[in-house]
Amino acid sequence: MALPASSVEVARILLVSRESSLSHSLQSLVGDQLWHVEQAFSGLEALQRMQTADSADVVLLDLRPGDADALHTLRRLRKVSPQVPVVLLSDDRHTREAQQALQLGARQCLSTPVLPGQFEAVMKQQLEKSLDRSAEEKIDLIGDDCSFVSASPG
């Protein structure tokens, strides 16, 4: 009997970009992973998707020079889903916008074009951190509640 796949192996990735070609190239980088890449073509669409029960596990935010909309989207994403990692996609990680986005809470910045091994490593790292963070939150909730619930079989 096979063990169920972990959330690192099966993940939903939301790409926020106006460029449909970027979605196609990222889909090819997914390779053998059971990751599903969906695209939101605007910040508003991304925010609406992140407020649903089956929201993404990681958000990839396409950041273009002078793109104030992407920074606004990042601010709103941090409020709506603070636990979900946001990774930037940028032509140059040293731009003022990229540095500002990292200060606003983006976890990492991938330079485009993205290399296959780099994409996979960053996605796995962010998914693992997200899993660790959610486990810590559950432990904290149990500790703060100070109650123990148990059930006996049958």
Side-chain angles (χ1 to χ4, degrees):
M1 182 168 80
L3 294 173
S6 73
S7 294
V8 173
E9 295 167 346
V10 179
R12 292 176 314 274
I13 300 169
L14 179 62
L15 169 64
V16 184
S17 176
R18 293 181 181 96
E19 304 286 331
S20 58
S21 61
L22 186 56
S23 176
H24 297 320
S25 60
L26 287 178
Q27 198 66 52
S28 69
L29 293 176
V30 167
D32 295 338
Q33 300 293 331
L34 298 175
W35 297 339
H36 180 69
V37 179
E38 294 183 1
Q39 185 168 4
F41 290 93
S42 71
L44 180 60
E45 183 183 354
L47 292 167
Q48 289 170 339
R49 287 186 184 202
M50 291 306 294
Q51 293 177 8
T52 64
D54 60 343
S55 64
D57 300 302
V58 176
V59 174
L60 293 174
L61 183 61
D62 188 16
L63 183 64
R64 303 288 172 186
D67 190 355
D69 186 44
L71 294 174
H72 179 70
T73 299
L74 176 59
R75 284 185 192 96
R76 299 294 303 155
L77 282 170
R78 301 297 356 122
K79 289 181 181 177
V80 170
S81 300
Q83 75 285 0
V84 176
V86 176
V87 175
L88 302 173
L89 297 171
S90 178
D91 293 336
D92 182 3
R93 68 176 61 185
H94 301 292
T95 64
R96 187 181 76 230
E97 290 87 359
Q99 295 304 310
Q100 188 175 2
L102 291 168
Q103 291 173 350
L104 290 171
R107 301 255 177 92
Q108 278 186 292
C109 183
L110 285 171
S111 295
T112 53
V114 181
L115 302 173
Q118 183 185 30
F119 177 76
E120 186 175 329
V122 167
M123 289 299 99
K124 284 183 176 181
Q125 180 185 35
Q126 293 307 320
L127 289 165
E128 286 170 359
K129 283 182 182 178
S130 186
L131 282 175
D132 290 346
R133 213 172 264 113
S134 67
E136 286 174 10
E137 289 172 4
K138 289 177 185 172
I139 292 169
D140 288 343
L141 288 175
I142 292 168
D144 291 341
D145 192 355
C146 296
S147 64
F148 181 77
V149 178
S150 66
S152 60

